[in-house]
Amino acid sequence: MSEKAYIKLNNTELELPILTGTENEKAIDITKLRDQSGYITLDAGFKNTGATKSAITFLDGERGILKYRGYNIEDLAERSTFLEVAYLLIYGDLPSKDRLEEFRTDIKSKMMVHEDMKMFFAGFPSKSHPMGQLSCLVGALSAFYPESLNPNMSEEEEYKTIINLIGKMPTIVSWIQKKSLGHPVVYPKKDWGYIDNFMNMIFGEVNCDKVFDDAVLDAMRVLLILHADHEQNCSTSTVRIVGSSNANLYASVSAGINALWGPLHGGANQAVIEMLEDIKNDGGDVNKYITKAKDKNDPFRLMGFGHRVYKNFDPRARIIKKACDDVLEKLGVNDPVLDIAKQLEQAALSDQYFIDRKLYPNVDFYSGIIYRALGFKSDMFTVLFALGRLPGWIAQWKEMRDNKEPIGRPRQLYIGETEREYVPLDKR
Ligand code: SDX
């Protein structure tokens, strides 16, 4: 017997189905609420509202659990590769050895970017933010691959579009980095892997390859895997709702990149480093900043702390914190903001304000410190988040299409003026 929920409205009692997910989460299905009652529900920020059913990523915010297609993030971060995780998220299962090799080869064959894409850079002011450039360049791919505009594309055409985007993203990111420095771009190498190719395109020079220590490549592998998906977060919900209008994959991901840019979301990794730098330059008094974060009259927030879903440790933050210690030690980097970050974390975790609100470090708190140790500029940190999140955005866009979900169009509660008579200009 399926569970029901009952709402008493206007002396009638409405019966609503209760749905149970595979991890025993519960949802009240209000699909028919307005038809049956004329009522809608209201939930600013969708804090209590599910937008879809998804089989891709499971989070348990209370217990600090994160799984991609049922696999624990800790196992994937330790044992998988970024392209294997990308395949898992997008197609639902771990690939066989041959299928993974084919997927890798297909993606590597798409890493070159059309030379005409370079002309976009001429239009960007030299200090323009990399996230604005990235969203523009990803959206522009639809101009070079018009077949991607067909909402009824075949599975084969969809696959080509997907591997095209995964292949071109690291090259586009590297072009943004090189153009910001006024340096010539470095091209991908056919016989190199995804991550070493990316790092060489970023840090290598023309005719002078940059070969990285395994510890650095492994740190990038872990960071990309940890960022790969995170269920219905702000940017992923953006990708899904834009895609629900039958917009193409490039346009949908470009929209997701813009949503991720915000400092409350993916932009937090850049904001954390800037905050830590401010604290260091202000004498390193972490308690002063804890006090500011608690002051309702002060707009300052502790960047990298708090999360809509995690009311326990973000499991990714634990893994990144350890990777941070390992990489900085291996590279012999002594970054003073790391000590400040650890002091800040300790101070916040023992402060009643943060304890009462279950505010813990999130994925962005330590990631910027590693990115900086690897040599990235802080305005590139959120671009790296986008590079990691790309498979998740693609997987969610594909799931929405496969499930033939309706165009997203939320309702509202109107609180504006009721009917008014138009007054001619000469009478106002
Ligand atoms: C990401 O959704 C995802 O999954 C996102 C993400 C992903 O992988 O896609 O995990 C990536 O975006 C991580 C979050 C990165 N953002 C930051 O680090 C920015 C700082 N954090 C916050 O702004 C905030 O915690 C949010 C935006 C992350 C969550 O905000 P919510 O869920 O809307 O919570 P809220 O703003 O309603 O806060 C609840 C209370 C408030 O106090 P009261 O009104 O109850 O007194 O907690 C306070 C807030 O003022 N609070 C903070 C705080 N975060 C929340 N106070 C000080 N510092 C903070 N960081």
Side-chain angles (χ1 to χ4, degrees):
M1 166 82 157
S2 62
E3 289 178 270
K4 303 285 185 200
Y6 298 91
I7 300 182
K8 278 194 186 313
L9 277 176
N10 313 328
N11 301 323
T12 59
E13 184 171 84
L14 285 181
E15 180 182 281
L16 296 169
I18 287 179
L19 307 176
T20 304
T22 50
E23 290 278 1
N24 288 320
E25 294 170 307
K26 301 284 183 183
I28 299 171
D29 183 347
I30 58 167
T31 309
K32 296 192 170 37
L33 176 66
R34 192 169 184 279
D35 291 345
Q36 291 174 348
S37 68
Y39 282 62
I40 63 164
T41 57
L42 194 61
D43 182 21
F46 311 115
K47 294 191 175 187
N48 306 281
T49 301
T52 188
K53 297 174 191 169
S54 179
I56 299 171
T57 292
F58 172 70
L59 302 190
D60 182 319
E62 283 64 35
R63 293 187 292 160
I65 291 173
L66 169 59
K67 295 180 186 175
Y68 294 161
R69 299 284 189 182
Y71 295 93
N72 283 313
I73 193 64
E74 293 80 3
D75 289 343
L76 295 171
E78 188 182 332
R79 304 165 67 183
S80 188
T81 63
F82 179 55
L83 291 187
E84 181 177 74
V85 165
Y87 186 93
L88 170 66
L89 287 168
I90 296 167
Y91 295 105
D93 296 305
L94 288 173
S96 68
K97 196 171 175 190
D98 291 348
R99 184 66 191 93
L100 179 57
E101 201 39 49
E102 186 186 7
F103 187 62
R104 272 207 187 97
T105 305
D106 290 344
I107 286 170
K108 278 202 284 190
S109 73
K110 299 293 180 185
M111 289 187 83
M112 288 293 277
V113 172
H114 198 295
E115 286 290 307
D116 288 356
M117 286 278 281
K118 285 181 181 172
M119 288 194 265
F120 289 100
F121 286 98
F124 289 121
S126 60
K127 297 290 175 220
S128 53
H129 198 286
M131 283 296 276
Q133 295 182 53
L134 182 66
S135 65
C136 169
L137 290 161
V138 167
L141 286 172
S142 58
F144 291 83
Y145 304 96
E147 64 280 7
S148 65
L149 272 60
N150 173 13
N152 305 309
M153 66 173 87
S154 67
E155 270 192 36
E156 188 195 350
E157 285 162 347
E158 184 186 76
Y159 177 78
K160 282 181 186 168
T161 303
I162 287 172
I163 57 160
N164 192 46
L165 183 51
I166 298 176
K168 285 174 172 48
M169 191 81 150
T171 309
I172 290 172
V173 168
S174 72
W175 282 17
I176 292 171
Q177 163 93 353
K178 288 297 188 191
K179 288 296 169 184
S180 73
L181 300 170
H183 294 178
V185 299
V186 172
Y187 289 96
K189 298 180 176 309
K190 283 202 183 322
D191 52 349
W192 284 31
Y194 193 78
I195 293 181
D196 48 2
N197 242 324
F198 169 63
M199 295 297 272
N200 184 50
M201 289 191 286
I202 289 275
F203 296 109
E205 303 294 336
V206 177
N207 302 324
C208 178
D209 295 336
K210 179 91 175 175
V211 181
F212 277 90
D213 183 295
D214 285 347
V216 168
L217 298 177
D218 196 55
M220 272 311 290
R221 175 189 66 84
V222 171
L223 284 162
L224 292 175
I225 288 174
L226 292 177
H227 286 85
D229 192 54
H230 214 239
E231 56 136 276
Q232 305 310 313
N233 60 85
C234 177
S235 54
T236 299
S237 300
T238 302
V239 169
R240 283 185 85 120
I241 203 164
V242 169
S244 73
S245 72
N246 272 347
N248 63 83
L249 177 62
Y250 303 122
S252 303
V253 168
S254 174
I257 291 167
N258 284 308
L260 187 73
W261 193 355
L264 292 185
H265 189 14
N269 57 18
Q270 176 179 351
V272 166
I273 282 291
E274 290 165 355
M275 171 188 75
L276 294 172
E277 284 289 349
D278 289 347
I279 296 172
K280 176 172 72 83
N281 297 334
D282 188 24
D285 177 359
V286 295
N287 289 317
K288 172 181 171 185
Y289 285 83
I290 294 282
T291 305
K292 278 171 64 67
K294 292 160 40 176
D295 178 357
K296 292 301 170 200
N297 300 316
D298 188 328
F300 176 78
R301 281 204 158 183
L302 213 50
M303 301 314 278
F305 255 79
H307 199 277
R308 173 62 56 76
V309 174
Y310 289 124
K311 300 308 171 192
N312 192 323
F313 249 88
D314 181 335
R316 302 167 297 177
R318 283 189 201 280
I319 298 169
I320 291 180
K321 181 178 177 181
K322 181 170 182 322
C324 203
D325 285 333
D326 295 350
V327 166
L328 268 64
E329 187 188 343
K330 275 228 171 60
L331 296 177
V333 169
N334 176 24
D335 188 340
V337 298
L338 177 59
D339 294 336
I340 292 177
K342 289 181 175 175
Q343 290 169 41
L344 200 55
E345 179 186 354
Q346 284 317 311
L349 293 181
S350 54
D351 183 286
Q352 207 53 47
Y353 171 95
F354 290 84
I355 293 168
D356 292 347
R357 292 164 180 80
K358 298 180 179 174
L359 302 177
Y360 290 89
N362 58 50
V363 66
D364 293 309
F365 190 64
Y366 284 102
S367 55
I369 298 172
I370 298 188
Y371 289 142
R372 184 156 83 165
L374 297 181
F376 290 100
K377 301 183 287 125
S378 63
D379 64 0
M380 286 292 287
F381 291 0
T382 311
V383 169
L384 296 170
F385 192 143
L387 180 62
R389 184 54 50 90
L390 180 62
W393 285 333
I394 292 171
Q396 301 269 352
W397 176 85
K398 182 175 179 340
E399 181 180 69
M400 178 272 304
R401 284 165 47 86
D402 291 348
N403 294 346
K404 296 183 175 20
E405 292 190 7
I407 184 170
R409 200 271 184 224
R411 292 281 183 158
Q412 65 165 23
L413 184 71
Y414 178 71
I415 55 169
E417 296 285 348
T418 52
E419 188 163 340
R420 293 192 281 180
E421 193 78 20
Y422 181 81
V423 177
L425 190 56
D426 56 3
K427 294 210 173 6
R428 281 181 226 158

mmCIF file of all heavy atoms in Angstrom, residues 247-284:
data_model
loop_
_atom_site.group_PDB
_atom_site.id
_atom_site.type_symbol
_atom_site.label_atom_id
_atom_site.label_comp_id
_atom_site.label_asym_id
_atom_site.label_seq_id
_atom_site.Cartn_x
_atom_site.Cartn_y
_atom_site.Cartn_z
ATOM 1 N N ALA A 247 17.249 23.752 -25.545
ATOM 2 C CA ALA A 247 18.499 24.452 -25.899
ATOM 3 C C ALA A 247 19.603 23.407 -26.005
ATOM 4 O O ALA A 247 19.570 22.392 -25.302
ATOM 5 C CB ALA A 247 18.842 25.483 -24.821
ATOM 6 N N ASN A 248 20.592 23.703 -26.879
ATOM 7 C CA ASN A 248 21.646 22.707 -27.110
ATOM 8 C C ASN A 248 22.583 22.587 -25.915
ATOM 9 O O ASN A 248 22.586 23.432 -25.013
ATOM 10 C CB ASN A 248 22.433 23.087 -28.370
ATOM 11 C CG ASN A 248 23.151 24.425 -28.227
ATOM 12 O OD1 ASN A 248 24.239 24.473 -27.665
ATOM 13 N ND2 ASN A 248 22.536 25.512 -28.692
ATOM 14 N N LEU A 249 23.419 21.552 -25.928
ATOM 15 C CA LEU A 249 24.300 21.264 -24.792
ATOM 16 C C LEU A 249 25.253 22.419 -24.523
ATOM 17 O O LEU A 249 25.463 22.801 -23.366
ATOM 18 C CB LEU A 249 25.102 19.986 -25.059
ATOM 19 C CG LEU A 249 26.126 19.586 -23.977
ATOM 20 C CD1 LEU A 249 25.449 19.309 -22.640
ATOM 21 C CD2 LEU A 249 26.934 18.361 -24.431
ATOM 22 N N TYR A 250 25.806 23.023 -25.577
ATOM 23 C CA TYR A 250 26.786 24.114 -25.373
ATOM 24 C C TYR A 250 26.108 25.300 -24.676
ATOM 25 O O TYR A 250 26.663 25.903 -23.762
ATOM 26 C CB TYR A 250 27.369 24.555 -26.707
ATOM 27 C CG TYR A 250 28.030 23.439 -27.497
ATOM 28 C CD1 TYR A 250 27.599 23.116 -28.786
ATOM 29 C CD2 TYR A 250 29.063 22.674 -26.951
ATOM 30 C CE1 TYR A 250 28.188 22.078 -29.505
ATOM 31 C CE2 TYR A 250 29.654 21.641 -27.662
ATOM 32 C CZ TYR A 250 29.204 21.345 -28.938
ATOM 33 O OH TYR A 250 29.785 20.312 -29.648
ATOM 34 N N ALA A 251 24.889 25.642 -25.118
ATOM 35 C CA ALA A 251 24.160 26.770 -24.511
ATOM 36 C C ALA A 251 23.811 26.445 -23.063
ATOM 37 O O ALA A 251 23.938 27.285 -22.172
ATOM 38 C CB ALA A 251 22.894 27.051 -25.317
ATOM 39 N N SER A 252 23.413 25.204 -22.800
ATOM 40 C CA SER A 252 23.025 24.812 -21.437
ATOM 41 C C SER A 252 24.224 24.848 -20.504
ATOM 42 O O SER A 252 24.132 25.359 -19.382
ATOM 43 C CB SER A 252 22.420 23.398 -21.460
ATOM 44 O OG SER A 252 21.319 23.357 -22.360
ATOM 45 N N VAL A 253 25.358 24.325 -20.961
ATOM 46 C CA VAL A 253 26.569 24.337 -20.116
ATOM 47 C C VAL A 253 27.090 25.764 -19.956
ATOM 48 O O VAL A 253 27.536 26.155 -18.874
ATOM 49 C CB VAL A 253 27.651 23.405 -20.697
ATOM 50 C CG1 VAL A 253 29.009 23.610 -20.020
ATOM 51 C CG2 VAL A 253 27.223 21.945 -20.549
ATOM 52 N N SER A 254 26.981 26.571 -20.991
ATOM 53 C CA SER A 254 27.407 27.977 -20.878
ATOM 54 C C SER A 254 26.614 28.680 -19.783
ATOM 55 O O SER A 254 27.153 29.428 -18.968
ATOM 56 C CB SER A 254 27.197 28.686 -22.229
ATOM 57 O OG SER A 254 27.464 30.065 -22.107
ATOM 58 N N ALA A 255 25.324 28.374 -19.704
ATOM 59 C CA ALA A 255 24.478 28.957 -18.640
ATOM 60 C C ALA A 255 24.928 28.446 -17.273
ATOM 61 O O ALA A 255 25.015 29.207 -16.300
ATOM 62 C CB ALA A 255 23.012 28.591 -18.887
ATOM 63 N N GLY A 256 25.258 27.165 -17.206
ATOM 64 C CA GLY A 256 25.736 26.589 -15.938
ATOM 65 C C GLY A 256 27.026 27.237 -15.480
ATOM 66 O O GLY A 256 27.222 27.510 -14.285
ATOM 67 N N ILE A 257 27.907 27.546 -16.445
ATOM 68 C CA ILE A 257 29.188 28.210 -16.116
ATOM 69 C C ILE A 257 28.910 29.576 -15.464
ATOM 70 O O ILE A 257 29.516 29.943 -14.458
ATOM 71 C CB ILE A 257 30.050 28.375 -17.382
ATOM 72 C CG1 ILE A 257 30.541 27.013 -17.876
ATOM 73 C CG2 ILE A 257 31.245 29.311 -17.127
ATOM 74 C CD1 ILE A 257 31.129 27.031 -19.286
ATOM 75 N N ASN A 258 27.937 30.274 -16.013
ATOM 76 C CA ASN A 258 27.605 31.594 -15.430
ATOM 77 C C ASN A 258 27.025 31.450 -14.031
ATOM 78 O O ASN A 258 27.341 32.234 -13.142
ATOM 79 C CB ASN A 258 26.628 32.331 -16.354
ATOM 80 C CG ASN A 258 27.343 32.881 -17.576
ATOM 81 O OD1 ASN A 258 28.348 33.571 -17.459
ATOM 82 N ND2 ASN A 258 26.862 32.532 -18.768
ATOM 83 N N ALA A 259 26.206 30.460 -13.812
ATOM 84 C CA ALA A 259 25.650 30.246 -12.458
ATOM 85 C C ALA A 259 26.762 29.872 -11.484
ATOM 86 O O ALA A 259 26.810 30.351 -10.347
ATOM 87 C CB ALA A 259 24.591 29.145 -12.493
ATOM 88 N N LEU A 260 27.705 29.067 -11.923
ATOM 89 C CA LEU A 260 28.793 28.626 -11.046
ATOM 90 C C LEU A 260 29.683 29.798 -10.637
ATOM 91 O O LEU A 260 30.294 29.775 -9.573
ATOM 92 C CB LEU A 260 29.634 27.575 -11.769
ATOM 93 C CG LEU A 260 30.719 26.882 -10.942
ATOM 94 C CD1 LEU A 260 30.099 25.886 -9.946
ATOM 95 C CD2 LEU A 260 31.733 26.172 -11.829
ATOM 96 N N TRP A 261 29.761 30.810 -11.452
ATOM 97 C CA TRP A 261 30.645 31.970 -11.268
ATOM 98 C C TRP A 261 30.359 32.693 -9.949
ATOM 99 O O TRP A 261 31.256 33.248 -9.310
ATOM 100 C CB TRP A 261 30.450 32.915 -12.449
ATOM 101 C CG TRP A 261 31.451 34.018 -12.623
ATOM 102 C CD1 TRP A 261 32.493 34.365 -11.802
ATOM 103 C CD2 TRP A 261 31.475 34.938 -13.715
ATOM 104 N NE1 TRP A 261 33.173 35.439 -12.328
ATOM 105 C CE2 TRP A 261 32.570 35.820 -13.502
ATOM 106 C CE3 TRP A 261 30.711 35.115 -14.872
ATOM 107 C CZ2 TRP A 261 32.883 36.849 -14.385
ATOM 108 C CZ3 TRP A 261 31.026 36.139 -15.761
ATOM 109 C CH2 TRP A 261 32.102 36.988 -15.504
ATOM 110 N N GLY A 262 29.137 32.691 -9.504
ATOM 111 C CA GLY A 262 28.758 33.447 -8.300
ATOM 112 C C GLY A 262 29.571 33.039 -7.074
ATOM 113 O O GLY A 262 29.816 31.857 -6.843
ATOM 114 N N PRO A 263 30.000 34.007 -6.237
ATOM 115 C CA PRO A 263 30.834 33.688 -5.069
ATOM 116 C C PRO A 263 30.095 32.870 -4.001
ATOM 117 O O PRO A 263 30.703 32.266 -3.137
ATOM 118 C CB PRO A 263 31.238 35.053 -4.509
ATOM 119 C CG PRO A 263 30.365 36.045 -5.160
ATOM 120 C CD PRO A 263 29.886 35.452 -6.443
ATOM 121 N N LEU A 264 28.771 32.787 -4.082
ATOM 122 C CA LEU A 264 28.058 31.921 -3.128
ATOM 123 C C LEU A 264 28.130 30.468 -3.582
ATOM 124 O O LEU A 264 27.785 29.551 -2.842
ATOM 125 C CB LEU A 264 26.592 32.344 -2.999
ATOM 126 C CG LEU A 264 26.334 33.698 -2.330
ATOM 127 C CD1 LEU A 264 24.836 33.921 -2.162
ATOM 128 C CD2 LEU A 264 27.051 33.816 -0.994
ATOM 129 N N HIS A 265 28.547 30.262 -4.839
ATOM 130 C CA HIS A 265 28.594 28.911 -5.439
ATOM 131 C C HIS A 265 30.045 28.609 -5.812
ATOM 132 O O HIS A 265 30.918 28.694 -4.957
ATOM 133 C CB HIS A 265 27.613 28.883 -6.619
ATOM 134 C CG HIS A 265 27.354 27.549 -7.234
ATOM 135 N ND1 HIS A 265 27.702 26.361 -6.670
ATOM 136 C CD2 HIS A 265 26.742 27.223 -8.404
ATOM 137 C CE1 HIS A 265 27.329 25.348 -7.451
ATOM 138 N NE2 HIS A 265 26.738 25.846 -8.524
ATOM 139 N N GLY A 266 30.316 28.333 -7.049
ATOM 140 C CA GLY A 266 31.673 27.945 -7.420
ATOM 141 C C GLY A 266 32.691 29.062 -7.281
ATOM 142 O O GLY A 266 33.884 28.812 -7.093
ATOM 143 N N GLY A 267 32.233 30.285 -7.343
ATOM 144 C CA GLY A 267 33.143 31.430 -7.216
ATOM 145 C C GLY A 267 33.729 31.533 -5.815
ATOM 146 O O GLY A 267 34.639 32.309 -5.556
ATOM 147 N N ALA A 268 33.217 30.688 -4.893
ATOM 148 C CA ALA A 268 33.704 30.738 -3.503
ATOM 149 C C ALA A 268 35.169 30.336 -3.419
ATOM 150 O O ALA A 268 35.903 30.821 -2.551
ATOM 151 C CB ALA A 268 32.857 29.830 -2.618
ATOM 152 N N ASN A 269 35.654 29.455 -4.319
ATOM 153 C CA ASN A 269 37.052 29.021 -4.181
ATOM 154 C C ASN A 269 38.022 30.183 -4.402
ATOM 155 O O ASN A 269 39.064 30.283 -3.738
ATOM 156 C CB ASN A 269 37.393 27.814 -5.062
ATOM 157 C CG ASN A 269 37.127 28.028 -6.541
ATOM 158 O OD1 ASN A 269 36.985 29.145 -7.016
ATOM 159 N ND2 ASN A 269 37.069 26.928 -7.276
ATOM 160 N N GLN A 270 37.656 31.092 -5.303
ATOM 161 C CA GLN A 270 38.485 32.304 -5.478
ATOM 162 C C GLN A 270 38.284 33.231 -4.279
ATOM 163 O O GLN A 270 39.240 33.771 -3.713
ATOM 164 C CB GLN A 270 38.089 33.035 -6.769
ATOM 165 C CG GLN A 270 38.831 34.351 -6.962
ATOM 166 C CD GLN A 270 38.464 35.069 -8.258
ATOM 167 O OE1 GLN A 270 37.768 34.529 -9.131
ATOM 168 N NE2 GLN A 270 38.932 36.289 -8.408
ATOM 169 N N ALA A 271 37.027 33.356 -3.826
ATOM 170 C CA ALA A 271 36.722 34.250 -2.689
ATOM 171 C C ALA A 271 37.413 33.776 -1.412
ATOM 172 O O ALA A 271 37.821 34.599 -0.578
ATOM 173 C CB ALA A 271 35.210 34.325 -2.496
ATOM 174 N N VAL A 272 37.587 32.461 -1.241
ATOM 175 C CA VAL A 272 38.267 31.946 -0.035
ATOM 176 C C VAL A 272 39.707 32.432 0.011
ATOM 177 O O VAL A 272 40.168 32.965 1.017
ATOM 178 C CB VAL A 272 38.220 30.399 -0.001
ATOM 179 C CG1 VAL A 272 39.190 29.835 1.040
ATOM 180 C CG2 VAL A 272 36.812 29.902 0.295
ATOM 181 N N ILE A 273 40.404 32.276 -1.084
ATOM 182 C CA ILE A 273 41.821 32.681 -1.124
ATOM 183 C C ILE A 273 41.930 34.185 -0.889
ATOM 184 O O ILE A 273 42.786 34.655 -0.120
ATOM 185 C CB ILE A 273 42.464 32.285 -2.478
ATOM 186 C CG1 ILE A 273 42.797 30.801 -2.469
ATOM 187 C CG2 ILE A 273 43.699 33.122 -2.773
ATOM 188 C CD1 ILE A 273 43.918 30.383 -1.535
ATOM 189 N N GLU A 274 41.028 34.958 -1.495
ATOM 190 C CA GLU A 274 41.075 36.415 -1.299
ATOM 191 C C GLU A 274 40.788 36.751 0.167
ATOM 192 O O GLU A 274 41.406 37.631 0.761
ATOM 193 C CB GLU A 274 40.074 37.092 -2.255
ATOM 194 C CG GLU A 274 40.528 37.005 -3.709
ATOM 195 C CD GLU A 274 39.443 37.321 -4.735
ATOM 196 O OE1 GLU A 274 38.282 37.517 -4.324
ATOM 197 O OE2 GLU A 274 39.762 37.362 -5.938
ATOM 198 N N MET A 275 39.864 36.000 0.777
ATOM 199 C CA MET A 275 39.545 36.222 2.206
ATOM 200 C C MET A 275 40.763 35.883 3.065
ATOM 201 O O MET A 275 41.151 36.644 3.961
ATOM 202 C CB MET A 275 38.351 35.359 2.611
ATOM 203 C CG MET A 275 38.049 35.327 4.100
ATOM 204 S SD MET A 275 36.769 34.115 4.517
ATOM 205 C CE MET A 275 37.705 32.583 4.360
ATOM 206 N N LEU A 276 41.397 34.736 2.777
ATOM 207 C CA LEU A 276 42.561 34.321 3.578
ATOM 208 C C LEU A 276 43.705 35.323 3.422
ATOM 209 O O LEU A 276 44.391 35.664 4.396
ATOM 210 C CB LEU A 276 43.009 32.911 3.170
ATOM 211 C CG LEU A 276 42.024 31.778 3.472
ATOM 212 C CD1 LEU A 276 42.502 30.467 2.837
ATOM 213 C CD2 LEU A 276 41.820 31.595 4.967
ATOM 214 N N GLU A 277 43.869 35.835 2.213
ATOM 215 C CA GLU A 277 44.903 36.852 1.966
ATOM 216 C C GLU A 277 44.586 38.114 2.775
ATOM 217 O O GLU A 277 45.452 38.713 3.407
ATOM 218 C CB GLU A 277 44.970 37.195 0.471
ATOM 219 C CG GLU A 277 45.666 36.167 -0.387
ATOM 220 C CD GLU A 277 47.189 36.129 -0.148
ATOM 221 O OE1 GLU A 277 47.692 37.042 0.529
ATOM 222 O OE2 GLU A 277 47.847 35.182 -0.582
ATOM 223 N N ASP A 278 43.308 38.502 2.780
ATOM 224 C CA ASP A 278 42.900 39.697 3.541
ATOM 225 C C ASP A 278 43.211 39.506 5.024
ATOM 226 O O ASP A 278 43.731 40.397 5.697
ATOM 227 C CB ASP A 278 41.391 39.971 3.367
ATOM 228 C CG ASP A 278 41.060 40.479 1.966
ATOM 229 O OD1 ASP A 278 42.016 40.849 1.232
ATOM 230 O OD2 ASP A 278 39.861 40.476 1.600
ATOM 231 N N ILE A 279 42.901 38.299 5.540
ATOM 232 C CA ILE A 279 43.153 38.033 6.971
ATOM 233 C C ILE A 279 44.655 38.085 7.244
ATOM 234 O O ILE A 279 45.108 38.697 8.214
ATOM 235 C CB ILE A 279 42.547 36.676 7.390
ATOM 236 C CG1 ILE A 279 41.015 36.693 7.258
ATOM 237 C CG2 ILE A 279 42.955 36.306 8.822
ATOM 238 C CD1 ILE A 279 40.337 35.348 7.456
ATOM 239 N N LYS A 280 45.419 37.489 6.352
ATOM 240 C CA LYS A 280 46.906 37.496 6.528
ATOM 241 C C LYS A 280 47.413 38.938 6.520
ATOM 242 O O LYS A 280 48.165 39.347 7.401
ATOM 243 C CB LYS A 280 47.582 36.713 5.391
ATOM 244 C CG LYS A 280 49.104 36.736 5.429
ATOM 245 C CD LYS A 280 49.733 35.788 4.412
ATOM 246 C CE LYS A 280 49.594 36.256 2.990
ATOM 247 N NZ LYS A 280 50.620 37.256 2.569
ATOM 248 N N ASN A 281 46.961 39.705 5.527
ATOM 249 C CA ASN A 281 47.452 41.099 5.394
ATOM 250 C C ASN A 281 46.960 41.990 6.532
ATOM 251 O O ASN A 281 47.517 43.051 6.788
ATOM 252 C CB ASN A 281 47.021 41.683 4.043
ATOM 253 C CG ASN A 281 47.642 40.901 2.882
ATOM 254 O OD1 ASN A 281 48.702 40.288 3.050
ATOM 255 N ND2 ASN A 281 46.962 40.867 1.742
ATOM 256 N N ASP A 282 45.889 41.498 7.206
ATOM 257 C CA ASP A 282 45.318 42.293 8.309
ATOM 258 C C ASP A 282 45.879 41.816 9.653
ATOM 259 O O ASP A 282 45.317 42.065 10.699
ATOM 260 C CB ASP A 282 43.779 42.157 8.269
ATOM 261 C CG ASP A 282 43.087 43.096 9.261
ATOM 262 O OD1 ASP A 282 43.714 44.123 9.622
ATOM 263 O OD2 ASP A 282 41.958 42.794 9.685
ATOM 264 N N GLY A 283 46.979 41.035 9.589
ATOM 265 C CA GLY A 283 47.623 40.617 10.833
ATOM 266 C C GLY A 283 47.298 39.208 11.274
ATOM 267 O O GLY A 283 47.786 38.726 12.288
ATOM 268 N N GLY A 284 46.418 38.498 10.507
ATOM 269 C CA GLY A 284 46.172 37.075 10.814
ATOM 270 C C GLY A 284 45.272 36.821 12.010
ATOM 271 O O GLY A 284 45.231 35.725 12.545
#
